Amino acid sequence: MKFTPRPLRKDQIKDCARMLRRVTLFSAWSPDEIEEFAAHVQLLPFPSQEVVLWEGDAGDVLYIIAEGSVVVSRRLKGDVETVICRLHAGDFFGELDVIDDQSASANVQTETQCLFYTIDRDTLYRELEANPRVYSKFLLALLKEVAKRLRTTNQRLIDAILWGIDATSLDTG
């Protein structure tokens, strides 16, 4: 089923701005900067247990979770999937697709009914390029979040390697 985002009504922009203040990407932005940005965001309601993105889908949208939760997973082999993480209100996804113009690197499925604020790549870049100070704040916040997620991934990789070594009883020393 295809779900289409819709522009925010004027009365929804303030609610969106209030919510965006809780998102790490916008934590250094002034209230005026956030409200101006919110005017370009779209609203996308999604029912529970629906796939938002399939791994490999073309992606050019940043999704900010306003309400609900999603599961991010990757297919390992055949029908076997592994959960990468769960994201909740105030979290975001799709940032890699927006940055590197590649396809989605994971599956994202709603766990509960969700409300997303979305912005497509072209609109995001246009709005950020119009204000270099905001652009710089956004990029720094994005880099911090990507670094945090990379550190988590690194730890999970080390844990998996150690688990494999322990499971095979190999002596590495």
Side-chain angles (χ1 to χ4, degrees), residues 11 19 22 28 33-34 44 63 101 107 110 116 123 162 167:
D11 62 310
M19 191 273 152
R22 299 190 328 254
E33 291 167 338
I34 291 174
L44 180 61
Y63 295 83
D101 200 19
N107 301 317
T110 58
F116 301 114
T123 304
L162 290 174

Side-chain angles (χ1 to χ4, degrees), residues 68-118:
S69 61
V70 300
V71 175
V72 180
S73 64
R74 292 272 325 244
R75 182 170 308 283
L76 295 177
K77 187 175 181 180
D79 290 337
V80 178
E81 277 190 53
T82 187
V83 171
I84 296 171
C85 66
R86 284 181 164 73
L87 300 173
H88 309 279
D91 291 326
F92 57 90
F93 61 94
E95 73 284 354
L96 295 179
D97 310 337
V98 168
I99 292 170
D100 65 8
D101 200 19
Q102 298 291 313
S103 58
S105 61
N107 301 317
V108 180
Q109 181 175 353
T110 58
E111 263 190 322
T112 63
Q113 183 173 331
C114 288
L115 184 62
F116 301 114
Y117 290 123
T118 66

Side-chain angles (χ1 to χ4, degrees), residues 26-43:
F26 308 101
S27 61
W29 293 27
S30 73
D32 288 343
E33 291 167 338
I34 291 174
E35 194 160 329
E36 184 177 326
F37 182 81
H40 302 282
V41 167
Q42 296 196 319
L43 190 64

Side-chain angles (χ1 to χ4, degrees), residues 11 13 57 70 161:
D11 62 310
I13 292 173
D57 281 355
V70 300
I161 290 168

Side-chain angles (χ1 to χ4, degrees), residues 8 15 21 39 41 50 60 111 113 115 128 134-135 150:
L8 295 176
D15 290 337
R21 285 187 194 103
V41 167
E50 287 286 337
D60 69 344
E111 263 190 322
Q113 183 173 331
L115 184 62
L128 292 174
V134 166
Y135 204 165
L150 180 58

